[in-house]
Amino acid sequence: MSTDKRAGRKLVRGQRSTTVNERVSYGLDDAFQLFYNVKKAEGMRERTLADYKAHWRYFREWIDEKYPEVVLNDITPSIAREYYIYMASGRTKYEGVEGREIEGQALSPTTVAIRLRTLRTMFNFWSAERMLDINPVANLKPPKEDEDEIEAFTDEQLRLLLATPDTRTFAGFRDRTLYMLLADSGLRIQEALALTSEHIDIKSRCIHLSAAMNKNRKPRIVPVSADVMRLLFELMTENKAYFPEATHLFITAYGDPLTSDTVRKRLTRYGIEAGIDGDVRVSPHTFRHYFCKTYLLNGGDLFSLQRIVGHSNITTTRKYIQMNDENVRAQHAQFSPIIRLRAGKRR
């Protein structure tokens, strides 16, 4: 009898106290909700949680079309690889319906890599929780990506853009101050828009960002130039005079915190007015690219740049070493041994 009991209670991997014939099957949506709740409890950022939802929705739509009624443990490595190929190759909508077929469009390697990374995070979680027999994405590798040149403003483009806002108005002065800050500090747009007067250290000309404000969850100090600090002080003074209850540094004409969506829309309009739209991507992040590339071109080192902009990995910072042909020519003209030798003879 004891032998029969032991045989009847043999555990299957991924179960706690069920029999062989009572295998637990986790529904896809239930599994995702567990994953989502745990990540939210761990303090994951709202933007990351939103990405989890979006990427899971894309996967579920494909699964519902190709493999309806499946549960979590039904997803095999071959199914995962099929989805991977689908993302990289595109699909044909209304396939088989004559006259309605629409050829699909492949996602970029970067997008495929991001969505694959999200799925890997999910399936690794479920695997660690013993909700899976096999991790279906364990052997999937992200696609190789061409290393594109990082697009940043040129000095002339930045001058044209900074000259566009009408600084006689509050909104124009605020916008120009924001752009000056982004170009001078390399702050991310969300970091800049979250600033209050408490973050500004006028005496030491620094901005103190708390760990909660940083993408890598570490506090950091960002130095700014005297010119930009003067503009920030002027903006704080004006805010206090007209909106004493406002806490944020960058606010609307009604005293509400400025949003990144509003910044992007106004920046697009300024780019068109400045005549640089189409020549360069006019976005808040392009200021960050400008700061990083210019910092290195002017002799700054990688490690101090990494600390200023808050990169968690030096590999990310190292990408800014890339230079276009114009940068290379300018650097050669400045540091060429022969040019320096000829300059010495003229003296």
Side-chain angles (χ1 to χ4, degrees):
M1 184 178 291
S2 60
T3 302
D4 291 338
K5 283 183 179 180
R6 284 196 299 271
R9 293 188 63 79
K10 182 179 178 182
L11 294 181
V12 178
R13 185 184 177 190
Q15 298 176 314
R16 301 187 188 280
S17 58
T18 55
T19 65
V20 175
N21 296 323
E22 294 175 348
R23 180 180 176 183
V24 174
S25 297
Y26 296 94
L28 293 179
D29 290 330
D30 289 339
F32 174 75
Q33 197 59 52
L34 173 63
F35 165 82
Y36 182 87
N37 291 342
V38 169
K39 292 303 177 183
K40 189 172 184 178
E42 290 175 353
M44 197 65 65
R45 293 183 183 278
E46 288 298 325
R47 183 172 177 178
T48 304
L49 292 172
D51 286 342
Y52 286 155
K53 279 188 173 181
H55 297 171
W56 178 249
R57 186 179 72 252
Y58 300 142
F59 179 66
R60 285 290 276 119
E61 287 173 354
W62 180 83
I63 280 287
D64 286 344
E65 182 180 329
K66 302 289 290 187
Y67 299 96
E69 308 298 327
V70 298
V71 294
L72 185 65
N73 231 343
D74 292 335
I75 299 177
T76 62
S78 62
I79 290 177
R81 186 167 293 281
E82 187 179 345
Y83 179 65
Y84 176 90
I85 294 170
Y86 158 80
M87 288 193 293
S89 306
R91 69 167 182 171
T92 301
K93 292 189 71 175
Y94 309 115
E95 190 171 4
V97 181
E98 189 175 351
R100 294 196 67 196
E101 292 186 343
I102 302 174
E103 288 298 324
Q105 185 174 0
L107 300 174
S108 71
T110 301
T111 302
V112 173
I114 291 171
R115 293 189 186 179
L116 179 60
R117 185 166 63 241
T118 300
L119 285 178
R120 186 178 285 115
T121 300
M122 293 178 184
F123 280 101
N124 285 346
F125 169 83
W126 294 320
S127 184
E129 291 291 315
R130 299 193 175 184
M131 297 166 65
L132 290 167
D133 290 338
I134 298 174
N135 186 340
V137 300
N139 295 323
L140 290 182
K141 297 180 180 179
K144 292 184 178 180
E145 303 175 51
D146 294 333
E147 231 177 71
D148 295 328
E149 183 182 308
I150 294 174
E151 191 174 28
F153 294 122
T154 64
D155 288 344
E156 182 58 25
Q157 287 169 341
L158 186 61
R159 288 192 193 98
L160 290 170
L161 188 60
L162 292 175
T164 304
D166 183 358
T167 55
R168 295 171 299 179
T169 67
F170 170 76
F173 171 69
R174 175 208 62 203
D175 290 346
R176 187 177 185 277
T177 300
L178 174 60
Y179 304 158
M180 289 280 285
L181 174 64
L182 295 176
D184 188 51
S185 65
L187 286 174
R188 300 176 179 92
I189 186 58
Q190 295 294 355
E191 294 169 345
L193 296 182
L195 292 177
T196 68
S197 58
E198 294 179 355
H199 299 115
I200 311 299
D201 187 340
I202 297 174
K203 190 174 181 180
S204 62
R205 293 211 314 265
C206 286
I207 294 173
H208 295 264
L209 300 180
S210 65
M213 296 173 69
N214 287 309
K215 193 174 181 179
N216 61 7
R217 298 299 178 114
K218 295 180 181 179
R220 81 180 197 266
I221 297 175
V222 181
V224 294
S225 66
D227 288 343
V228 170
M229 185 56 72
R230 186 167 56 252
L231 290 172
L232 293 177
F233 179 75
E234 189 176 339
L235 182 62
M236 285 190 290
T237 303
E238 192 158 341
N239 287 350
K240 191 173 182 180
Y242 292 98
F243 303 101
E245 301 300 319
T247 56
H248 287 75
L249 180 59
F250 295 101
I251 57 178
T252 69
Y254 299 98
D256 300 319
L258 195 63
T259 66
S260 58
D261 188 50
T262 299
V263 171
R264 289 186 176 90
K265 287 178 180 177
R266 293 179 66 85
L267 188 54
T268 298
R269 193 184 74 208
Y270 287 138
I272 295 171
E273 291 178 15
I276 62 174
D277 182 61
D279 297 331
V280 65
R281 184 172 179 239
V282 184
S283 77
H285 213 67
T286 311
F287 287 101
R288 184 170 167 88
H289 293 329
Y290 172 81
F291 170 77
C292 292
K293 291 191 76 171
T294 306
Y295 185 91
L296 292 175
L297 284 169
N298 288 341
D301 67 277
L302 274 174
F303 296 102
S304 62
L305 177 60
Q306 180 189 13
R307 291 191 61 178
I308 291 171
V309 297
H311 287 153
S312 58
N313 194 317
I314 193 67
T315 303
T316 305
T317 319
R318 193 173 284 117
K319 291 179 181 178
Y320 288 98
I321 296 177
Q322 300 173 9
M323 300 181 187
N324 59 29
D325 294 341
E326 184 180 345
N327 297 146
V328 172
R329 285 194 296 270
Q331 291 294 94
H332 180 268
Q334 184 177 354
F335 298 111
S336 164
I338 299 301
I339 292 176
R340 290 166 66 89
L341 186 63
R342 289 177 60 189
K345 280 186 177 181
R346 284 197 294 269
R347 292 195 193 102

